[in-house]
Coordinates of all heavy atoms in Angstrom, one line a residue:
M162 N 0.8 -1.2 0.0 CA 0.0 0.0 0.0 C 0.9 1.2 0.0 O 1.9 1.3 0.6 CB -0.9 0.0 1.2 CG -1.9 1.1 1.3 SD -3.0 0.9 2.6 CE -3.7 2.5 2.7
T163 N 0.4 2.3 -0.7 CA 1.2 3.5 -0.8 C 1.1 4.3 0.5 O 0.0 4.4 1.1 CB 0.6 4.4 -1.9 OG1 0.7 3.6 -3.1 CG2 1.4 5.7 -2.1
E164 N 2.2 4.8 1.0 CA 2.2 5.6 2.2 C 1.7 7.1 1.8 O 1.9 7.5 0.7 CB 3.6 5.7 2.8 CG 4.0 4.4 3.4 CD 5.4 4.5 4.1 OE1 5.6 5.6 4.7 OE2 6.2 3.6 4.0
S165 N 1.2 7.8 2.8 CA 0.8 9.1 2.5 C 1.7 10.1 3.3 O 2.2 9.7 4.4 CB -0.7 9.4 2.8 OG -1.0 8.9 4.1
V166 N 1.8 11.3 2.8 CA 2.6 12.3 3.4 C 1.5 13.3 4.0 O 0.7 13.8 3.3 CB 3.5 13.1 2.4 CG1 4.2 14.2 3.1 CG2 4.5 12.1 1.8
T167 N 1.6 13.6 5.3 CA 0.6 14.5 5.9 C 1.0 15.9 5.6 O 2.1 16.2 5.2 CB 0.6 14.3 7.4 OG1 1.9 14.7 8.0 CG2 0.3 12.8 7.8
K168 N 0.0 16.8 5.8 CA 0.3 18.2 5.6 C 1.4 18.7 6.5 O 2.3 19.5 6.1 CB -1.0 19.0 5.9 CG -1.0 20.4 5.5 CD -2.4 21.0 5.6 CE -2.5 22.4 5.1 NZ -3.8 23.0 5.2
A169 N 1.4 18.2 7.8 CA 2.4 18.6 8.7 C 3.8 18.2 8.2 O 4.8 18.9 8.3 CB 2.1 18.1 10.1
E170 N 3.9 17.0 7.7 CA 5.2 16.5 7.2 C 5.6 17.3 6.0 O 6.8 17.6 5.8 CB 5.1 15.0 6.8 CG 4.9 14.1 8.0 CD 4.6 12.6 7.6 OE1 4.0 12.4 6.5 OE2 4.9 11.7 8.4
L171 N 4.7 17.6 5.1 CA 5.0 18.4 4.0 C 5.5 19.8 4.4 O 6.5 20.3 3.9 CB 3.7 18.6 3.1 CG 3.9 19.3 1.8 CD1 4.8 18.5 0.9 CD2 2.5 19.4 1.1
I172 N 4.9 20.4 5.4 CA 5.3 21.7 5.9 C 6.7 21.6 6.5 O 7.6 22.5 6.2 CB 4.3 22.3 6.9 CG1 3.0 22.7 6.2 CG2 4.9 23.4 7.7 CD1 1.8 23.0 7.1
N173 N 6.9 20.6 7.3 CA 8.3 20.4 7.9 C 9.3 20.3 6.8 O 10.4 20.9 6.9 CB 8.3 19.2 8.8 CG 7.5 19.4 10.1 OD1 7.2 20.6 10.5 ND2 7.1 18.3 10.7
S174 N 9.1 19.5 5.8 CA 10.0 19.2 4.7 C 10.3 20.5 3.9 O 11.5 20.8 3.6 CB 9.5 18.1 3.8 OG 10.5 17.8 2.8
I175 N 9.3 21.2 3.6 CA 9.5 22.5 2.8 C 10.2 23.5 3.6 O 11.1 24.2 3.1 CB 8.1 23.0 2.3 CG1 7.5 22.1 1.3 CG2 8.3 24.4 1.7 CD1 6.1 22.4 0.9
A176 N 9.9 23.6 4.9 CA 10.5 24.6 5.8 C 12.0 24.3 5.9 O 12.8 25.2 5.9 CB 9.8 24.6 7.1
E177 N 12.3 23.0 6.0 CA 13.7 22.6 6.2 C 14.5 22.9 4.9 O 15.6 23.5 4.9 CB 13.8 21.1 6.5 CG 15.1 20.6 6.9 CD 15.1 19.2 7.3 OE1 14.4 18.9 8.3 OE2 15.6 18.3 6.5
R178 N 13.9 22.5 3.7 CA 14.6 22.7 2.5 C 14.8 24.2 2.1 O 15.8 24.6 1.4 CB 13.9 22.0 1.3 CG 14.0 20.5 1.4 CD 13.2 19.9 0.3 NE 13.2 18.4 0.5 CZ 13.2 17.6 -0.5 NH1 13.3 18.0 -1.7 NH2 13.2 16.3 -0.2
T179 N 13.8 25.0 2.5 CA 13.9 26.5 2.1 C 14.5 27.3 3.2 O 14.6 28.5 3.1 CB 12.5 27.0 1.8 OG1 11.7 26.9 2.9 CG2 12.0 26.3 0.6
R180 N 14.8 26.6 4.4 CA 15.3 27.3 5.5 C 14.4 28.5 6.0 O 14.8 29.5 6.4 CB 16.7 27.9 5.3 CG 17.7 26.8 5.1 CD 19.1 27.3 5.0 NE 20.1 26.2 4.8 CZ 21.0 26.2 3.8 NH1 21.1 27.1 3.0 NH2 21.8 25.1 3.7
S181 N 13.1 28.2 5.9 CA 12.0 29.1 6.3 C 11.4 28.6 7.6 O 11.6 27.4 7.9 CB 10.9 29.2 5.3 OG 11.4 29.7 4.1
S182 N 10.7 29.4 8.3 CA 10.1 28.9 9.5 C 8.9 28.1 9.1 O 8.3 28.2 8.0 CB 9.6 30.1 10.4 OG 8.5 30.8 9.7
K183 N 8.5 27.2 10.0 CA 7.3 26.4 9.8 C 6.0 27.3 9.6 O 5.2 27.0 8.8 CB 7.1 25.4 10.9 CG 8.1 24.3 10.8 CD 7.9 23.3 12.0 CE 9.1 22.3 12.1 NZ 8.9 21.4 13.2
A184 N 6.0 28.4 10.4 CA 4.9 29.3 10.4 C 4.8 29.9 9.0 O 3.7 30.0 8.4 CB 5.0 30.3 11.5
A185 N 5.9 30.4 8.5 CA 5.9 31.0 7.1 C 5.5 30.0 6.1 O 4.7 30.3 5.1 CB 7.2 31.6 6.8
T186 N 6.0 28.8 6.2 CA 5.7 27.8 5.2 C 4.2 27.4 5.3 O 3.5 27.2 4.3 CB 6.5 26.5 5.5 OG1 7.9 26.9 5.4 CG2 6.3 25.4 4.5
R187 N 3.7 27.4 6.5 CA 2.2 27.1 6.7 C 1.4 28.2 6.0 O 0.4 27.9 5.4 CB 1.9 27.0 8.2 CG 0.6 26.3 8.5 CD 0.4 26.1 10.0 NE 1.3 25.2 10.6 CZ 2.4 25.5 11.4 NH1 2.6 26.7 11.8 NH2 3.2 24.6 11.8
R188 N 1.8 29.4 6.2 CA 1.0 30.5 5.6 C 1.1 30.5 4.1 O 0.1 30.7 3.4 CB 1.6 31.9 6.1 CG 1.2 32.2 7.5 CD 1.5 33.7 7.9 NE 3.0 34.0 7.7 CZ 3.9 33.8 8.6 NH1 3.6 33.4 9.8 NH2 5.2 34.2 8.3
F189 N 2.3 30.1 3.5 CA 2.5 30.0 2.1 C 1.6 28.9 1.6 O 0.9 29.1 0.6 CB 3.9 29.7 1.7 CG 4.1 29.4 0.3 CD1 4.1 30.3 -0.7 CD2 4.2 28.0 -0.1 CE1 4.2 30.0 -2.0 CE2 4.3 27.7 -1.5 CZ 4.3 28.7 -2.4
L190 N 1.6 27.8 2.2 CA 0.8 26.6 1.7 C -0.7 27.0 1.8 O -1.5 26.6 0.9 CB 1.1 25.4 2.5 CG 0.5 24.1 2.0 CD1 1.0 23.8 0.6 CD2 1.0 22.9 2.9
A191 N -1.1 27.6 2.9 CA -2.5 28.1 3.0 C -2.9 29.0 1.9 O -4.0 28.9 1.3 CB -2.8 28.7 4.4
S192 N -2.0 29.9 1.6 CA -2.3 30.9 0.5 C -2.4 30.2 -0.9 O -3.2 30.5 -1.7 CB -1.2 32.0 0.4 OG -1.2 32.7 1.6
L193 N -1.5 29.2 -1.1 CA -1.5 28.4 -2.3 C -2.9 27.7 -2.4 O -3.5 27.7 -3.5 CB -0.4 27.4 -2.4 CG -0.3 26.5 -3.6 CD1 -0.1 27.4 -4.9 CD2 0.8 25.5 -3.4
E194 N -3.3 27.1 -1.4 CA -4.6 26.4 -1.4 C -5.7 27.3 -1.7 O -6.6 27.0 -2.5 CB -4.9 25.8 0.0 CG -4.0 24.6 0.3 CD -4.2 24.1 1.7 OE1 -5.1 24.5 2.4 OE2 -3.4 23.2 2.2
E195 N -5.7 28.5 -1.1 CA -6.8 29.5 -1.3 C -6.8 30.0 -2.8 O -7.8 30.0 -3.4 CB -6.6 30.7 -0.4 CG -6.9 30.5 1.0 CD -6.6 31.7 1.9 OE1 -6.3 32.8 1.4 OE2 -6.5 31.5 3.1
V196 N -5.6 30.3 -3.3 CA -5.5 30.8 -4.7 C -6.0 29.8 -5.7 O -6.8 30.0 -6.6 CB -4.1 31.3 -5.0 CG1 -3.9 31.6 -6.5 CG2 -3.8 32.5 -4.2
V197 N -5.5 28.5 -5.5 CA -5.9 27.4 -6.4 C -7.4 27.2 -6.3 O -8.1 27.0 -7.3 CB -5.1 26.2 -6.2 CG1 -5.6 25.0 -6.9 CG2 -3.6 26.4 -6.5
T198 N -7.9 27.1 -5.1 CA -9.3 26.9 -4.9 C -10.2 28.0 -5.6 O -11.2 27.7 -6.3 CB -9.7 26.8 -3.4 OG1 -8.9 25.7 -2.8 CG2 -11.1 26.6 -3.2
E199 N -9.8 29.2 -5.3 CA -10.6 30.3 -6.0 C -10.6 30.2 -7.5 O -11.6 30.4 -8.1 CB -10.0 31.7 -5.5 CG -10.3 32.0 -4.1 CD -9.5 33.2 -3.6 OE1 -8.7 33.9 -4.4 OE2 -9.5 33.5 -2.4
A200 N -9.4 29.9 -8.0 CA -9.3 29.8 -9.5 C -10.2 28.7 -10.0 O -10.9 28.8 -11.0 CB -7.9 29.6 -9.9
I201 N -10.2 27.5 -9.4 CA -11.0 26.4 -9.8 C -12.5 26.7 -9.7 O -13.3 26.4 -10.6 CB -10.7 25.1 -9.0 CG1 -9.2 24.7 -9.2 CG2 -11.6 24.0 -9.2 CD1 -8.9 24.3 -10.6
V202 N -12.9 27.4 -8.6 CA -14.3 27.8 -8.4 C -14.7 28.7 -9.5 O -15.8 28.7 -10.0 CB -14.5 28.4 -7.0 CG1 -15.8 29.1 -6.9 CG2 -14.4 27.3 -5.9
E203 N -13.8 29.6 -10.0 CA -14.0 30.5 -11.1 C -13.9 29.8 -12.4 O -13.9 30.5 -13.5 CB -13.1 31.7 -11.0 CG -13.4 32.6 -9.7 CD -12.3 33.6 -9.5 OE1 -11.4 33.8 -10.3 OE2 -12.4 34.3 -8.5
D204 N -13.8 28.5 -12.5 CA -13.7 27.7 -13.7 C -12.4 28.0 -14.5 O -12.4 28.0 -15.7 CB -14.9 27.9 -14.5 CG -15.2 26.7 -15.4 OD1 -14.9 25.6 -15.0 OD2 -15.8 26.9 -16.5
K205 N -11.3 28.3 -13.8 CA -10.0 28.6 -14.4 C -9.1 27.4 -14.3 O -9.2 26.7 -13.3 CB -9.4 29.8 -13.8 CG -10.1 31.1 -14.0 CD -9.4 32.2 -13.3 CE -10.1 33.5 -13.5 NZ -9.5 34.6 -12.7
I206 N -8.3 27.1 -15.3 CA -7.3 26.1 -15.2 C -6.1 26.7 -14.5 O -5.6 27.8 -14.8 CB -6.9 25.6 -16.6 CG1 -8.1 25.0 -17.3 CG2 -5.7 24.7 -16.6 CD1 -7.9 24.6 -18.8
V207 N -5.5 25.9 -13.6 CA -4.3 26.3 -12.9 C -3.2 25.3 -13.3 O -3.3 24.1 -13.2 CB -4.5 26.2 -11.4 CG1 -3.2 26.6 -10.6 CG2 -5.6 27.1 -10.9
Q208 N -2.1 25.9 -13.8 CA -0.9 25.1 -14.2 C 0.3 25.6 -13.4 O 0.7 26.8 -13.6 CB -0.7 25.1 -15.7 CG -1.7 24.4 -16.4 CD -1.3 24.2 -17.9 OE1 -0.3 24.8 -18.4 NE2 -2.1 23.4 -18.6
L209 N 0.9 24.7 -12.7 CA 2.2 25.0 -12.1 C 3.2 24.3 -13.0 O 3.5 23.1 -12.9 CB 2.3 24.4 -10.7 CG 1.3 25.0 -9.7 CD1 1.4 24.3 -8.3 CD2 1.4 26.5 -9.5
T210 N 3.7 25.0 -14.0 CA 4.5 24.5 -15.1 C 5.6 23.6 -14.6 O 6.4 24.0 -13.6 CB 5.1 25.6 -16.0 OG1 4.0 26.4 -16.4 CG2 5.9 25.1 -17.1
G211 N 5.7 22.4 -15.1 CA 6.8 21.5 -14.7 C 6.4 20.6 -13.5 O 7.2 19.8 -13.1
F212 N 5.2 20.9 -13.0 CA 4.8 20.1 -11.8 C 3.4 19.5 -11.9 O 3.3 18.3 -12.0 CB 4.9 21.0 -10.5 CG 4.5 20.4 -9.3 CD1 5.1 19.2 -8.9 CD2 3.6 20.9 -8.4 CE1 4.8 18.6 -7.7 CE2 3.2 20.3 -7.2 CZ 3.9 19.1 -6.8
V213 N 2.4 20.3 -11.9 CA 1.0 19.8 -11.9 C 0.0 20.8 -12.5 O 0.2 22.0 -12.4 CB 0.6 19.4 -10.4 CG1 0.5 20.6 -9.5 CG2 -0.6 18.5 -10.4
G214 N -1.1 20.3 -13.0 CA -2.1 21.1 -13.6 C -3.5 20.7 -12.9 O -3.7 19.5 -12.7
F215 N -4.3 21.7 -12.7 CA -5.6 21.5 -12.1 C -6.6 22.0 -13.1 O -6.6 23.2 -13.5 CB -5.8 22.2 -10.8 CG -4.8 21.9 -9.7 CD1 -3.6 22.5 -9.6 CD2 -5.1 20.9 -8.8 CE1 -2.7 22.2 -8.6 CE2 -4.2 20.6 -7.8 CZ -3.0 21.2 -7.7
T216 N -7.6 21.1 -13.6 CA -8.6 21.5 -14.5 C -9.9 21.3 -14.0 O -10.3 20.1 -13.6 CB -8.4 20.7 -15.8 OG1 -7.1 20.9 -16.3 CG2 -9.4 21.2 -16.9
P217 N -10.8 22.3 -13.8 CA -12.1 22.1 -13.4 C -12.9 21.3 -14.4 O -12.8 21.6 -15.6 CB -12.7 23.5 -13.1 CG -11.9 24.4 -14.0 CD -10.5 23.7 -14.1
I218 N -13.7 20.3 -14.0 CA -14.6 19.6 -15.0 C -16.0 19.5 -14.4 O -16.2 19.6 -13.2 CB -14.0 18.2 -15.2 CG1 -13.9 17.4 -14.0 CG2 -12.7 18.3 -16.0 CD1 -13.5 15.9 -14.2
E219 N -16.9 19.3 -15.3 CA -18.3 19.1 -14.9 C -18.7 17.7 -15.4 O -18.5 17.4 -16.6 CB -19.2 20.2 -15.5 CG -19.0 21.5 -14.9 CD -20.0 22.5 -15.3 OE1 -21.2 22.2 -15.6 OE2 -19.7 23.7 -15.4
K220 N -19.2 16.9 -14.5 CA -19.7 15.6 -14.8 C -21.2 15.7 -15.0 O -21.9 16.2 -14.1 CB -19.4 14.6 -13.8 CG -17.9 14.4 -13.6 CD -17.6 13.4 -12.5 CE -16.1 13.1 -12.4 NZ -15.8 12.1 -11.3
P221 N -21.8 15.4 -16.2 CA -23.2 15.5 -16.4 C -24.0 14.6 -15.6 O -23.6 13.6 -15.1 CB -23.3 15.2 -17.9 CG -22.2 14.3 -18.2 CD -21.1 14.7 -17.3
E222 N -25.3 14.9 -15.4 CA -26.3 14.0 -14.8 C -26.3 12.7 -15.6 O -26.2 12.7 -16.8 CB -27.6 14.7 -14.8 CG -28.7 13.8 -14.1 CD -30.0 14.5 -14.1 OE1 -30.3 15.4 -13.3 OE2 -30.9 14.2 -15.0
R223 N -26.4 11.6 -14.9 CA -26.4 10.3 -15.5 C -27.3 9.4 -14.8 O -27.6 9.6 -13.6 CB -25.0 9.8 -15.7 CG -24.3 9.7 -14.4 CD -22.8 9.8 -14.7 NE -22.0 9.7 -13.5 CZ -21.7 10.7 -12.7 NH1 -22.2 11.9 -12.9 NH2 -21.0 10.5 -11.6
T224 N -27.7 8.3 -15.5 CA -28.6 7.4 -14.9 C -27.9 6.0 -14.8 O -27.3 5.6 -15.8 CB -29.9 7.2 -15.7 OG1 -30.5 8.5 -15.8 CG2 -30.9 6.2 -15.1
Y225 N -28.0 5.4 -13.7 CA -27.5 4.0 -13.5 C -28.6 3.1 -13.0 O -29.6 3.6 -12.6 CB -26.3 4.1 -12.4 CG -25.1 4.7 -12.9 CD1 -24.7 6.0 -12.5 CD2 -24.2 4.0 -13.8 CE1 -23.5 6.6 -12.9 CE2 -23.0 4.6 -14.2 CZ -22.7 5.8 -13.8 OH -21.5 6.4 -14.2
R226 N -28.3 1.9 -13.0 CA -29.3 0.9 -12.5 C -28.7 0.4 -11.1 O -27.6 0.1 -11.0 CB -29.4 -0.3 -13.4 CG -30.1 0.1 -14.7 CD -31.1 -0.9 -15.1 NE -31.8 -0.5 -16.3 CZ -33.0 0.1 -16.2 NH1 -33.6 0.3 -15.1 NH2 -33.6 0.5 -17.3
N227 N -29.6 0.4 -10.1 CA -29.3 -0.2 -8.8 C -29.1 -1.7 -9.0 O -30.0 -2.4 -9.5 CB -30.4 0.1 -7.8 CG -30.1 -0.5 -6.5 OD1 -29.5 -1.5 -6.3 ND2 -30.6 0.2 -5.5
P228 N -27.9 -2.2 -8.7 CA -27.6 -3.6 -9.0 C -28.5 -4.6 -8.2 O -28.7 -5.7 -8.6 CB -26.1 -3.8 -8.7 CG -25.8 -2.6 -7.9 CD -26.7 -1.5 -8.2
Q229 N -29.0 -4.1 -7.1 CA -29.8 -5.0 -6.2 C -31.3 -5.0 -6.7 O -31.9 -6.1 -6.6 CB -29.7 -4.6 -4.8 CG -28.3 -4.8 -4.2 CD -28.2 -4.4 -2.8 OE1 -29.0 -3.6 -2.3 NE2 -27.1 -4.9 -2.1
T230 N -31.8 -3.9 -7.1 CA -33.2 -3.8 -7.4 C -33.4 -3.7 -8.9 O -34.6 -3.9 -9.4 CB -33.9 -2.6 -6.7 OG1 -33.3 -1.4 -7.3 CG2 -33.7 -2.7 -5.2
G231 N -32.4 -3.3 -9.7 CA -32.6 -3.1 -11.1 C -33.3 -1.8 -11.4 O -33.5 -1.4 -12.6
E232 N -33.7 -1.0 -10.4 CA -34.3 0.3 -10.7 C -33.3 1.3 -11.2 O -32.2 1.4 -10.7 CB -35.0 0.8 -9.4 CG -36.2 0.0 -8.9 CD -36.8 0.6 -7.7 OE1 -36.9 1.8 -7.6 OE2 -37.3 -0.2 -6.9
P233 N -33.7 2.2 -12.1 CA -32.8 3.3 -12.5 C -32.7 4.3 -11.4 O -33.6 4.6 -10.6 CB -33.6 3.9 -13.7 CG -35.0 3.5 -13.6 CD -35.0 2.2 -12.8
V234 N -31.4 4.8 -11.2 CA -31.1 5.8 -10.2 C -30.4 7.0 -11.0 O -29.5 6.8 -11.7 CB -30.1 5.2 -9.2 CG1 -29.7 6.3 -8.2 CG2 -30.7 4.0 -8.5
T235 N -30.9 8.2 -10.7 CA -30.3 9.4 -11.3 C -29.3 9.9 -10.4 O -29.5 10.2 -9.3 CB -31.4 10.4 -11.6 OG1 -32.4 9.9 -12.5 CG2 -30.8 11.7 -12.2
V236 N -28.1 10.1 -11.0 CA -27.0 10.7 -10.2 C -26.9 12.1 -10.7 O -26.7 12.4 -12.0 CB -25.6 9.9 -10.5 CG1 -24.5 10.6 -9.8 CG2 -25.8 8.5 -10.1
P237 N -27.0 13.1 -9.9 CA -27.0 14.5 -10.3 C -25.6 14.9 -10.9 O -24.6 14.3 -10.6 CB -27.3 15.3 -9.0 CG -27.0 14.4 -7.9 CD -27.2 13.0 -8.4
A238 N -25.7 16.0 -11.6 CA -24.4 16.6 -12.2 C -23.6 17.0 -11.0 O -24.1 17.5 -10.0 CB -24.8 17.7 -13.1
T239 N -22.3 16.9 -11.2 CA -21.3 17.3 -10.2 C -20.2 18.1 -10.8 O -19.9 17.9 -12.0 CB -20.8 16.1 -9.4 OG1 -20.1 15.2 -10.3 CG2 -21.8 15.4 -8.7
K240 N -19.5 18.8 -10.0 CA -18.2 19.5 -10.4 C -17.1 18.7 -9.7 O -17.2 18.3 -8.6 CB -18.2 20.9 -10.0 CG -19.2 21.8 -10.8 CD -19.1 23.2 -10.4 CE -20.0 24.1 -11.2 NZ -19.9 25.5 -10.9
S241 N -16.0 18.7 -10.4 CA -14.8 18.0 -9.9 C -13.5 18.7 -10.5 O -13.6 19.7 -11.2 CB -14.8 16.5 -10.3 OG -13.8 15.8 -9.6
V242 N -12.4 18.1 -10.1 CA -11.1 18.7 -10.6 C -10.3 17.5 -11.2 O -10.1 16.5 -10.5 CB -10.3 19.4 -9.5 CG1 -9.0 19.8 -10.0 CG2 -11.1 20.5 -8.9
K243 N -9.8 17.7 -12.3 CA -8.8 16.8 -12.9 C -7.4 17.2 -12.6 O -7.1 18.4 -12.8 CB -9.0 16.7 -14.4 CG -8.0 15.8 -15.1 CD -8.3 15.8 -16.6 CE -7.3 15.0 -17.4 NZ -7.4 15.1 -18.8
I244 N -6.6 16.4 -12.0 CA -5.3 16.7 -11.6 C -4.3 15.9 -12.5 O -4.4 14.7 -12.6 CB -5.0 16.4 -10.1 CG1 -6.0 17.2 -9.3 CG2 -3.5 16.7 -9.8 CD1 -5.9 16.8 -7.8
K245 N -3.4 16.7 -13.2 CA -2.6 16.0 -14.2 C -1.1 16.4 -13.9 O -0.7 17.6 -13.8 CB -2.9 16.5 -15.6 CG -2.1 16.0 -16.7 CD -2.6 16.5 -18.1 CE -1.7 15.9 -19.2 NZ -2.2 16.4 -20.5
P246 N -0.2 15.4 -13.8 CA 1.2 15.6 -13.6 C 1.8 16.2 -14.8 O 1.4 15.9 -16.0 CB 1.8 14.3 -13.3 CG 0.8 13.3 -13.9 CD -0.5 13.9 -13.8
L247 N 2.7 17.2 -14.7 CA 3.3 17.9 -15.8 C 4.8 17.8 -15.6 O 5.4 17.6 -14.5 CB 2.9 19.3 -15.8 CG 1.4 19.7 -15.9 CD1 1.2 21.2 -15.8 CD2 0.9 19.2 -17.2
G248 N 5.5 17.9 -16.7 CA 7.0 18.1 -16.7 C 7.8 17.1 -15.9 O 7.7 15.9 -16.1
N249 N 8.5 17.7 -14.9 CA 9.3 16.9 -14.0 C 8.6 15.9 -13.2 O 9.1 14.7 -13.1 CB 10.1 17.8 -13.0 CG 11.0 18.8 -13.8 OD1 11.5 18.6 -14.9 ND2 11.3 19.9 -13.1
L250 N 7.4 16.2 -12.7 CA 6.6 15.2 -12.0 C 6.2 14.0 -12.9 O 6.3 12.9 -12.5 CB 5.4 15.8 -11.4 CG 4.5 14.9 -10.6 CD1 5.2 14.2 -9.5 CD2 3.3 15.7 -10.1
K251 N 5.8 14.4 -14.1 CA 5.4 13.3 -15.1 C 6.5 12.4 -15.4 O 6.4 11.2 -15.4 CB 4.8 14.0 -16.3 CG 4.3 13.0 -17.4 CD 3.7 13.8 -18.6 CE 3.2 12.8 -19.6 NZ 2.7 13.5 -20.8
D252 N 7.7 13.0 -15.6 CA 8.9 12.3 -16.0 C 9.3 11.4 -14.8 O 9.6 10.2 -15.0 CB 10.1 13.2 -16.3 CG 9.8 14.0 -17.6 OD1 8.9 13.6 -18.4 OD2 10.5 15.0 -17.8
A253 N 9.2 11.9 -13.6 CA 9.6 11.1 -12.4 C 8.6 9.9 -12.2 O 9.1 8.8 -11.9 CB 9.6 12.0 -11.2
I254 N 7.4 10.1 -12.4 CA 6.4 9.1 -12.3 C 6.6 8.0 -13.4 O 6.6 6.8 -13.1 CB 4.9 9.6 -12.4 CG1 4.6 10.5 -11.2 CG2 3.9 8.5 -12.6 CD1 3.3 11.3 -11.4
E255 N 6.8 8.4 -14.6 CA 7.0 7.5 -15.7 C 8.3 6.7 -15.6 O 8.4 5.5 -16.0 CB 7.0 8.2 -17.0 CG 5.6 8.7 -17.4 CD 5.6 9.5 -18.7 OE1 6.7 9.8 -19.2 OE2 4.5 9.9 -19.1
S256 N 9.4 7.2 -14.9 CA 10.6 6.5 -14.8 C 10.8 5.7 -13.5 O 11.8 5.0 -13.3 CB 11.8 7.5 -14.9 OG 11.8 8.4 -13.8
S257 N 9.7 5.8 -12.7 CA 9.8 5.0 -11.4 C 9.4 3.6 -11.5 O 8.7 3.2 -12.5 CB 9.0 5.7 -10.3 OG 7.7 5.8 -10.6

């Protein structure tokens, strides 16, 4: 199973590598989250060139069948985000 990196671990690692305080790193990460979230909500694509891209998508309403009863079930339209590795991240994933 894949291990996960917590937000606190990410903050610690970034602060150490940039020789910044954890508080400053936490504020930067919070600001990044806010800016990306606002852009996605405004239906804008966000690209961190060489790293990752975030694309807002709309999934249309669709109908499925309940496998137990066979009755049709309508799933409402939803909004989501497609996350795509770019550049260095994509290369690292493909070569691992």
Side-chain angles (χ1 to χ4, degrees):
M162 184 172 165
T163 304
E164 292 184 39
S165 52
V166 177
T167 66
K168 190 173 186 178
E170 291 169 335
L171 186 62
I172 288 169
N173 289 339
S174 183
I175 293 171
E177 189 176 295
R178 289 178 187 217
T179 61
R180 297 187 178 127
S181 299
S182 69
K183 289 179 188 176
T186 304
R187 194 175 295 110
R188 286 191 303 271
F189 170 80
L190 192 55
S192 294
L193 179 64
E194 290 174 10
E195 288 174 14
V196 170
V197 170
T198 300
E199 288 170 5
I201 295 297
V202 167
E203 294 171 2
D204 208 30
K205 295 179 182 175
I206 295 172
V207 177
Q208 287 192 351
L209 301 176
T210 303
F212 182 53
V213 67
F215 302 89
T216 304
I218 59 172
E219 291 188 29
K220 296 181 180 181
E222 182 180 278
R223 54 210 180 274
T224 302
Y225 288 105
R226 293 223 174 261
N227 180 325
Q229 294 179 340
T230 65
E232 292 184 36
V234 177
T235 300
V236 178
T239 59
K240 291 185 177 183
S241 188
V242 177
K243 178 180 175 185
I244 301 173
K245 181 178 180 181
L247 303 172
N249 297 334
L250 178 60
K251 183 178 180 181
D252 294 343
I254 292 168
E255 290 175 354
S256 68
S257 64

